[in-house]
């Protein structure tokens, strides 16, 4: 059914001076509709979307039906769900990078050698985002896949990247990650003191790898190495994760660290050739 005249236009929110004159508010609203869906809210009604986004029902309806016509959303007449075609939007970013394609063969070899899952991630704001992964088994309560995000400070890959950040960039990161002055605790082992994290990052930078022992999730250890591009800048990190039942930390490092560093060097060599 076509919207009535009163539903055809919703006045723009007054500009608060913080946005560029080129800012397109309708695009912002459309993206808000997409972001209303997540792993716990796979199906939403029109009322759900309006409530989650703060849009009127009329506006939410227009955005939803536009997404339906574009093939990004499906509906049974009452509830709406995202369609696989939406992955094209994220893949446009991932496919513009050479890193996932370059890293995956090395991750496959690494995982086969050590018998554990391996991944590559980049830093995005206060989080790491997985851009490549080879899983041998599920070792976390949360499923990990390309696009998964975790707080960088509590992950080995995050620390491997942050350890090489410029001082000003690290200061800015800690302001974002710990606005109250304390980093959120994810497990009893999580480092929550920014000063202690800085000391750990200095050690990571010195030794060339990072270890996180049950700070992201109980029962999980992870070791990571930074990945430098052809100019020498750290652009990502590669890791191997293992359950604590694999043995104590010294044994784990003896088994995982040499293959991990070898894989990191191989990925970096491929990145250098892409300059």
């Amino acid at each position: 059914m076509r919207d009535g005249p009163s539903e055809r236009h919703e006045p723009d929110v007054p500009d608060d001076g913080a946005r560029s004159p080129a800012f397109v508010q309708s695009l912002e609203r459309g993206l808000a509709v997409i972001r209303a869906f997540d792993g716990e809210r796979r199906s939403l009604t029109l009322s759900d979307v309006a409530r989650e986004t703060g849009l009127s029902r009329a506006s939410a309806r227009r955005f939803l039906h536009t997404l339906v016509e574009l093939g990004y959303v499906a509906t049974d007449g009452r509830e709406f769900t995202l369609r696989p075609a939406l992955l094209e939007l994220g893949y446009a970013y991932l496919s513009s990078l050479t890193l996932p394609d370059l890293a995956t063969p090395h991750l496959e070899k690494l995982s086969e050698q050590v018998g554990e899952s391996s991944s590559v991630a980049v830093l995005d704001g206060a989080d790491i985002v997985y851009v490549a992964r080879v899983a041998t088994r599920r070792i976390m309560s949360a499923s990990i896949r390309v696009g998964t995000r975790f707080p960088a400070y509590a992950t080995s890959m995050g620390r491997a990247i942050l350890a090489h950040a410029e001082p000003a960039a690290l200061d800015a990161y800690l302001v974002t990650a710990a606005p109250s002055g304390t980093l959120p605790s994810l497990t009893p082992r999580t480092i929550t003191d920014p000063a202690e994290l800085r000391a750990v990052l200095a050690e990571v930078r010195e030794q060339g790898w990072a270890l996180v022992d049950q700070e992201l999730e109980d029962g999980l250890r992870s070791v990571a190495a930074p990945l430098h591009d052809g100019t020498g800048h750290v652009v990502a990190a590669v890791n191997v994760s293992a359950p604590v039942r694999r043995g104590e930390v010294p044994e784990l490092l003896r088994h995982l660290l040499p293959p991990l560093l070898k894989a990191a060097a191989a990925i970096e060599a491929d990145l250098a050739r892409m300059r």
Side-chain angles (χ1 to χ4, degrees), residues 139-140 187 189 212-222 241-246:
I139 58 176
M140 288 190 67
T187 77
R189 294 172 176 261
V212 166
D213 185 0
Q214 303 182 78
E215 294 187 51
L216 179 64
E217 181 166 304
D218 288 326
L220 178 69
R221 293 188 177 113
S222 175
S241 299
V244 294
R245 64 176 179 272
R246 281 297 300 265

Side-chain angles (χ1 to χ4, degrees), residues 80-154:
F80 297 82
T81 56
L82 299 183
R83 296 190 60 190
L86 193 64
L87 293 173
E88 296 171 357
L89 301 180
Y91 187 74
Y93 165 72
L94 293 176
S95 63
S96 70
L97 302 176
T98 58
L99 181 57
D101 289 335
L102 290 176
T104 297
H106 299 292
L107 295 182
E108 291 172 345
K109 183 177 180 180
L110 175 60
S111 289
E112 182 180 1
Q113 183 176 359
V114 301
E116 299 292 351
S117 300
S118 60
S119 310
V120 167
V122 298
L123 186 67
D124 182 31
D127 300 329
I128 58 162
V129 180
Y130 285 69
V131 297
R133 179 166 171 80
V134 172
T136 58
R137 64 176 71 87
R138 181 165 173 171
I139 58 176
M140 288 190 67
S141 59
S143 178
I144 303 175
R145 57 179 65 89
V146 170
T148 294
R149 308 173 73 95
F150 288 122
Y153 68 89

Side-chain angles (χ1 to χ4, degrees), residues 225-243:
L227 292 175
H228 301 77
D229 66 10
T231 67
H233 292 97
V234 172
V235 294
V238 55
N239 88 333
V240 179
S241 299

Side-chain angles (χ1 to χ4, degrees), residues 45-94:
T45 65
L46 171 60
S47 296
D48 292 334
V49 172
R51 183 176 60 255
E52 293 294 332
T53 60
L55 295 172
S56 68
R57 284 175 55 88
S59 291
R61 181 186 300 112
R62 288 197 297 273
F63 285 115
L64 283 167
H65 284 288
T66 298
L67 291 168
V68 168
E69 290 195 27
L70 291 173
Y72 294 132
V73 169
T75 182
D76 61 6
R78 180 179 181 277
E79 294 191 333
F80 297 82
T81 56
L82 299 183
R83 296 190 60 190
L86 193 64
L87 293 173
E88 296 171 357
L89 301 180
Y91 187 74
Y93 165 72
L94 293 176

